[in-house]
Amino acid sequence: MAKQHANWSPYDNNGGSCVAIAGADYCVIAADTRLSTGYNILTRDYSKICKLADKCVMASSGFQADVKALQKHLGARHLIYQHQHNKQMSCPAMAQLLSNTLYYKRFFPYYSFNVLGGLDNEGKGCVFTYDAVGSYEKVGYSSQGSGSTLIMPFLDNQLKSPSPLLLPAQDAVTPLAEDEAVDLVKTVFASASERDIYTGDKLEIVVINAAGLRREYIDLRKD
Amino acid sequence: MSIFEYNGSALVAMVGKNCFAIASDRRLGVQLQTIATDFQRISKIHDRLFLGLSGLATDAQTLYQKLVFRHKLYQLREERDMKPETFASLVSALLYEKRFGPFFCQPVIAGLGDDDKPFICTMDSIGAKELAKDFVVAGTASESLYGACESMFKENMEPEELFETVSQALLSSVDRDCLSGWGGHVYVVTPTEVKERILKGRMD
């Protein structure tokens, strides 16, 4: 007889979308605040964004229980790093740590689709995009989550990143100004909320620049 | 792999000011292999009515032949062209006839109705009509097309601006879909003329 399969899954998808855009001296990270399961909304006010270090912020969509565990793990590792090195982790360093942490659970993964955003050691914006098992890439912009298939083509159209295969190596950061990038993020989430049932309620935008970290909330469609 | 994803396709139709645009990609594939890069997915029914068929290419061709046949009969009997709304109902009825053994197609219908009012609609493979005032999408790239069109669409665009918008939306969307691409076919139809243009996009 055929092998019997479990009708219980350890995973669930809580929906939502995340976006990050890197600029010359800033980084914008945004995510909606809807937490859902199946066709139900659990809350309209859930933050998917987590500050991992001074200049490093992660937005994650997928299974939020795994996301919470991942954030806790990374926070603990960052604290140890600070004790050992007497400084905050840089964004590229955190990027590598996140990749290794995800791959550690290669055969029972964190169901977490992440974008990491922040400033590198020179103060330039950087965005790293991941899959669930830790494959990552430094990019100029990225989106993850239920609305990502709707959002990515439009970001491609507006921000077209140069190919990493080009020589000489071209900058991945966008020439957009900080306020233009924030407006683009608002437009993109307004469109995604129209067509994706799991995206909506409120939009949380985090902007990191030389001055520090700034948070903004915008209302989205609640249906 | 789903039967709807066997050949790969991308279709979009958008409404402008007294005009409409209907556009498709040009790839015909067999799962991951590309076998044609100049495939016509959009066909003219009459000067003011266009039909695009996404999904399984063989069903799209058969359905197109059946619809041309029915429209020609209509023209003989009524001595006039079919209105877009009527044609949409015809397509819907033909699809529902095969309710328990359907055509694996998703049609996009675009036409100019009475008073040159643009009409667009899409339906699922068993004929459930979706009338929209702004745009309709179909094919393997439909999710990307929803996102791109939703962000780029404006009401009452003139034909030239409509062409630009549809082209940008189509090319950005198919670039994120492995099964569609290899350029685009865009038809912009106004009460006086039909402009067919071919877009060059990423050839992969």
Side-chain angles (χ1 to χ4, degrees):
Chain A
M1 78 179 188
K3 191 174 179 183
Q4 298 225 324
H5 287 272
N7 45 20
W8 173 84
S9 168
Y11 297 114
D12 188 16
N13 191 349
N14 299 120
S17 316
C18 316
V19 166
I21 301 176
D25 59 352
Y26 65 88
C27 188
V28 180
I29 302 99
D32 69 322
T33 61
R34 174 175 286 176
L35 189 74
S36 46
T37 176
Y39 288 124
N40 302 312
I41 295 177
L42 292 169
T43 179
R44 298 189 190 278
D45 209 2
Y46 188 83
S47 176
K48 299 185 183 68
I49 301 181
C50 176
K51 182 174 146 186
L52 297 175
D54 252 356
K55 305 269 179 194
C56 185
V57 162
M58 177 173 80
S60 315
S61 82
F63 180 37
Q64 291 300 326
D66 272 356
V67 168
K68 256 271 170 334
L70 181 63
Q71 289 170 352
K72 211 172 168 186
H73 185 111
L74 291 171
R77 290 296 300 270
H78 185 228
L79 192 58
I80 295 170
Y81 182 95
Q82 284 179 80
H83 287 147
Q84 291 175 341
H85 297 88
N86 195 23
K87 65 172 180 173
Q88 295 265 329
M89 265 176 105
S90 67
C91 198
M94 186 57 85
Q96 184 69 60
L97 177 63
L98 174 55
S99 170
N100 292 150
T101 308
L102 291 169
Y103 198 80
Y104 200 73
K105 278 173 59 73
R106 169 66 177 81
F107 299 108
F108 181 21
Y110 288 108
Y111 192 101
S112 162
F113 299 97
N114 312 293
V115 279
L116 198 73
L119 302 179
D120 63 16
N121 284 320
E122 291 149 26
K124 262 194 359 215
C126 57
V127 168
F128 299 88
T129 188
Y130 295 78
D131 71 357
V133 283
S135 161
Y136 81 114
E137 188 189 0
K138 181 168 188 281
V139 288
Y141 58 91
S142 181
S143 74
Q144 292 283 356
S146 56
S148 68
T149 48
L150 286 86
I151 295 172
M152 252 340 229
F154 187 61
L155 289 182
D156 285 337
N157 185 269
Q158 300 290 309
L159 300 173
K160 199 168 303 180
S161 225
S163 167
L165 301 169
L166 282 172
L167 285 173
Q170 287 185 28
D171 235 349
V173 298
T174 175
L176 284 186
E178 187 184 300
D179 52 326
E180 286 175 319
V182 172
D183 280 341
L184 176 60
V185 162
K186 291 177 187 173
T187 306
V188 135
F189 267 91
S191 306
S193 307
E194 295 279 321
R195 295 284 176 171
D196 177 27
I197 58 176
Y198 300 108
T199 301
D201 290 335
K202 276 211 308 286
L203 170 63
E204 185 183 0
I205 306 177
V206 168
V207 182
I208 304 185
N209 50 27
L213 194 144
R214 177 180 106 237
R215 214 172 284 254
E216 215 181 310
Y217 292 94
I218 309 291
D219 268 352
L220 296 173
R221 282 188 75 134
K222 296 184 180 346
D223 65 355
Chain B
M1 204 191 239
S2 155
I3 189 65
F4 287 99
E5 292 162 16
Y6 187 73
N7 294 124
S9 51
L11 268 179
V12 56
M14 227 183 241
V15 164
K17 191 166 182 192
N18 294 331
C19 63
F20 67 85
I22 181 167
S24 75
D25 72 322
R26 304 185 78 202
R27 179 184 180 270
L28 177 73
V30 169
Q31 299 201 316
L32 301 180
Q33 185 181 30
T34 302
I35 56 171
T37 56
D38 56 359
F39 189 65
Q40 282 268 28
R41 228 163 235 118
I42 298 173
S43 324
K44 188 172 88 160
I45 303 292
H46 61 74
D47 274 329
R48 291 154 65 97
L49 178 57
F50 283 75
L51 168 72
L53 286 163
S54 71
L56 195 62
T58 176
D59 279 357
Q61 286 181 335
T62 304
L63 197 56
Y64 166 68
Q65 287 166 0
K66 286 170 76 102
L67 286 162
V68 160
F69 170 71
R70 293 293 296 265
H71 183 251
K72 281 185 176 171
L73 268 180
Y74 184 92
Q75 278 178 322
L76 285 172
R77 290 177 178 140
E78 302 256 338
E79 292 182 1
R80 64 184 178 92
D81 288 330
M82 238 192 222
K83 275 192 236 164
E85 295 87 349
T86 316
F87 186 73
S89 297
L90 171 63
V91 178
S92 172
L94 269 183
L95 289 173
Y96 198 78
E97 267 177 5
K98 302 282 181 206
R99 172 62 177 82
F100 298 107
F103 287 109
F104 296 112
C105 293
Q106 205 184 346
V108 164
I109 295 157
L112 287 175
D114 294 331
D115 300 325
D116 298 336
K117 194 161 176 290
F119 169 87
I120 53 168
C121 93
T122 184
M123 51 194 84
D124 67 5
S125 58
I126 46 175
K129 265 188 280 187
E130 187 216 315
L131 305 170
K133 294 201 184 78
D134 40 14
F135 58 87
V136 289
V137 302
T140 49
S142 60
E143 277 202 60
S144 307
L145 279 164
Y146 269 127
C149 291
E150 196 67 59
S151 317
M152 297 187 200
F153 180 78
K154 282 197 327 262
E155 287 206 333
N156 289 328
M157 283 187 276
E158 296 291 336
E160 287 308 311
E161 197 191 353
L162 184 65
F163 166 69
E164 289 299 330
T165 305
V166 164
S167 305
Q168 290 291 330
L170 181 70
L171 287 179
S172 333
S173 304
V174 304
D175 284 349
R176 282 281 169 181
D177 177 26
C178 324
L179 300 174
S180 49
W182 284 91
H185 269 294
V186 186
Y187 295 82
V188 180
V189 180
T190 58
T192 46
E193 64 164 352
V194 171
K195 249 209 176 112
E196 178 189 347
R197 279 177 269 224
I198 300 203
L199 304 173
K200 183 161 190 240
R202 283 185 67 113
M203 306 304 208
D204 67 357

